[in-house]
Structure formats: structure tokens, C-alpha cells
């Protein structure tokens, strides 16, 4: 089994969750790749570009892949699993289902300005600085609806009940109509930072490690 971790929006392979899970897997002599989804430049980032980047890393043979995706990386993982049969298992950490409907209204008049000027400054947590992001990110994202995600494969969703970015209801709605999805709710926020010791047993049990 190959393991790939897809970090979230404006994050990096150095994210705390990515490093924690990689370290725990390495103690079991299991390697996990954490590709940098900022490759190609953050300013021109789109979901399509990230999907194409990871698709190119998937094994061409029948070796199965487990994708572990955080936030936007979770959404991307789910769409990759829909398209590529090599993906045999999904672990989604606070997946960004319906993220445009949650994010764009918060921008207020800034959304119109983004459309007009084409770029908006976004704080990048991986790089610890403000970086411009092209409006193409939004245009491209509209095509990635959760309604398209209908492939039945083992899926574990871990989501905080106090998530301030992607409401827990997004994962509840996704799971309720898909019997192959297991949802575990934690007393945490979007980062899941306070429950790393609870997340790992859930992942370990799901993967039968």
C-alpha cells in the first residue's frame, strides 16, 4: 500500500498533521509521501492543477494507494479517488466539502474586488507571508461538486465539531448518503490540533495497522 498525504490550502508539507502522521507511520516502517501542492506557484493555484500533479505521482501498475487529505487536500483526495482506481482508501481530515459556499460569503465586498483586480492577497501559513492568488482559483473550483463523488470505497472522515472553517454539517451531509463513509467527530476545530493522539488510533484501526 502506498500512502500519500495532501496538505491543505495555503499550507505545506511541513504542516503539523502531515509531520505527525508521517512520523507515526515511519515507526511502523511505512513510508508516506507528502508532495508540495504549491509547486507551480501559489498565485496560479487551482484544484485542477493539484489533481493533475498528484495523478502524475500515482503508480501506473495495480499497487493500491491510500490518500490522506487535509481540508482542501481532502476534497482533492476525494476527486482523485473518483477518477483513479489506484486509490483504494481515503482518510479525510476536515475535508473542504462545499468550501466556496462557506468561504466566499465571508469575503463580502472583497469578492467583487477580487473579480475586478484578478488577484487577492492570502496569508500563506506554510510560507508565513501574504501572497497573491488569482481569481482563476474560484472559477476552476466551481466544477468540483461533491455530487460527483459517488465511488464506493472505504472512506474515513475525521472532523471537529467546532470547525470554524468547514462546518461539521458538511461532512455529516456527505456521509449520510454514502454508506461506505465512516465519520468520526472530535471535540476540536478545523486544525484538529488538540486531538492528534485521538486521530492516530482512528487512522491505525481504519488501515488495520
Amino acid at each position: 500500500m502506498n500512502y500519500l498525504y495532501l496538505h491543505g490550502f495555503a499550507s505545506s508539507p511541513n504542516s503539523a498533521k502531515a509531520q505527525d502522521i508521517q512520523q507515526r507511520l515511519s515507526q511502523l516502517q511505512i513510508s508516506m509521501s507528502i508532495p508540495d501542492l504549491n509547486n507551480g506557484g501559489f498565485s496560479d493555484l487551482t484544484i485542477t492543477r493539484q489533481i493533475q500533479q498528484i495523478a502524475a505521482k500515482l503508480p501506473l501498475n495495480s499497487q493500491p494507494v491510500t490518500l490522506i487529505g487535509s481540508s482542501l487536500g481532502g476534497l482533492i483526495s476525494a476527486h482523485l479517488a473518483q477518477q483513479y482506481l489506484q486509490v483504494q482508501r481515503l482518510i479525510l481530515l476536515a475535508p473542504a466539502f462545499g468550501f466556496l459556499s462557506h468561504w466566499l460569503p465571508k469575503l463580502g465586498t472583497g469578492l467583487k474586488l477580487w473579480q475586478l483586480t484578478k488577484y487577492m492577497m492570502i496569508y500563506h501559513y506554510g510560507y508565513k507571508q501574504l501572497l497573491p492568488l488569482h481569481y482563476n482559483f474560484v472559477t476552476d473550483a466551481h466544477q468540483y461538486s461533491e455530487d460527483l463523488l459517488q465511488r464506493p470505497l472505504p472512506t474515513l472522515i475525521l472532523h471537529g465539531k467546532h470547525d470554524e472553517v468547514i462546518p461539521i454539517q458538511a461532512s455529516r451531509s456527505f456521509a449520510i448518503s454514502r454508506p461506505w463513509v465512516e465519520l468520526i467527530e472530535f471535540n476540536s476545530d478545523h486544525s484538529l490540533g488538540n486531538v492528534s493522539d485521538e486521530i492516530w488510533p482512528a487512522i491505525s484501526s481504519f488501515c488495520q495497522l
Side-chain angles (χ1 to χ4, degrees), residues 7-200:
H7 64 73
F9 174 71
S11 184
S12 78
N14 294 321
S15 77
K17 287 194 294 291
Q19 293 298 312
D20 181 70
I21 293 172
Q22 185 182 55
Q23 182 179 16
R24 292 177 188 268
L25 283 171
S26 69
Q27 291 173 352
L28 301 174
Q29 279 70 55
I30 299 172
S31 62
M32 182 180 78
S33 174
I34 314 175
D36 188 350
L37 295 173
N38 301 292
N39 282 351
F42 179 73
S43 294
D44 296 318
L45 185 75
T46 63
I47 289 177
T48 296
R49 192 188 82 187
Q50 293 174 89
I51 288 176
Q52 291 172 344
Q53 176 186 343
I54 300 306
K57 295 181 178 294
L58 296 177
L60 296 177
N61 52 32
S62 58
Q63 291 184 32
V65 176
T66 292
L67 290 180
I68 306 175
S70 173
S71 194
L72 189 64
L75 178 69
I76 292 166
S77 296
H79 281 283
L80 279 161
Q82 183 67 29
Q83 299 178 45
Y84 296 93
L85 297 182
Q86 298 99 311
V87 181
Q88 293 291 303
R89 196 161 55 194
L90 284 175
I91 300 169
L92 310 178
L93 311 174
F97 295 140
F99 80 99
L100 287 181
S101 65
H102 305 307
W103 181 36
L104 297 184
K106 295 179 181 179
L107 300 179
T109 57
L111 178 60
K112 196 68 176 179
L113 185 62
W114 192 6
Q115 289 176 290
L116 290 172
T117 63
K118 300 304 179 187
Y119 286 94
M120 182 174 70
M121 299 304 290
I122 301 285
Y123 184 77
H124 195 290
Y125 293 92
Y127 297 147
K128 295 181 172 56
Q129 61 177 308
L130 287 166
L131 293 173
L133 178 64
H134 197 281
Y135 190 75
N136 282 344
F137 176 80
V138 174
T139 304
D140 175 79
H142 277 295
Q143 66 186 296
Y144 293 99
S145 168
E146 283 77 68
D147 293 341
L148 301 172
L149 303 174
Q150 298 296 333
R151 182 183 166 207
L153 78 165
T155 301
L156 175 66
I157 298 179
L158 309 175
H159 208 133
K161 289 184 283 189
H162 311 295
D163 193 321
E164 73 289 1
V165 178
I166 305 295
I168 182 66
Q169 189 57 47
S171 284
R172 289 172 178 167
S173 298
F174 183 83
I176 198 168
S177 61
R178 296 168 175 84
W180 56 89
V181 174
E182 177 187 0
L183 170 61
I184 300 178
E185 302 182 12
F186 292 98
N187 188 24
S188 188
D189 58 13
H190 189 65
S191 73
L192 295 169
N194 66 314
V195 291
S196 58
D197 288 338
E198 299 173 55
I199 285 175
W200 175 247

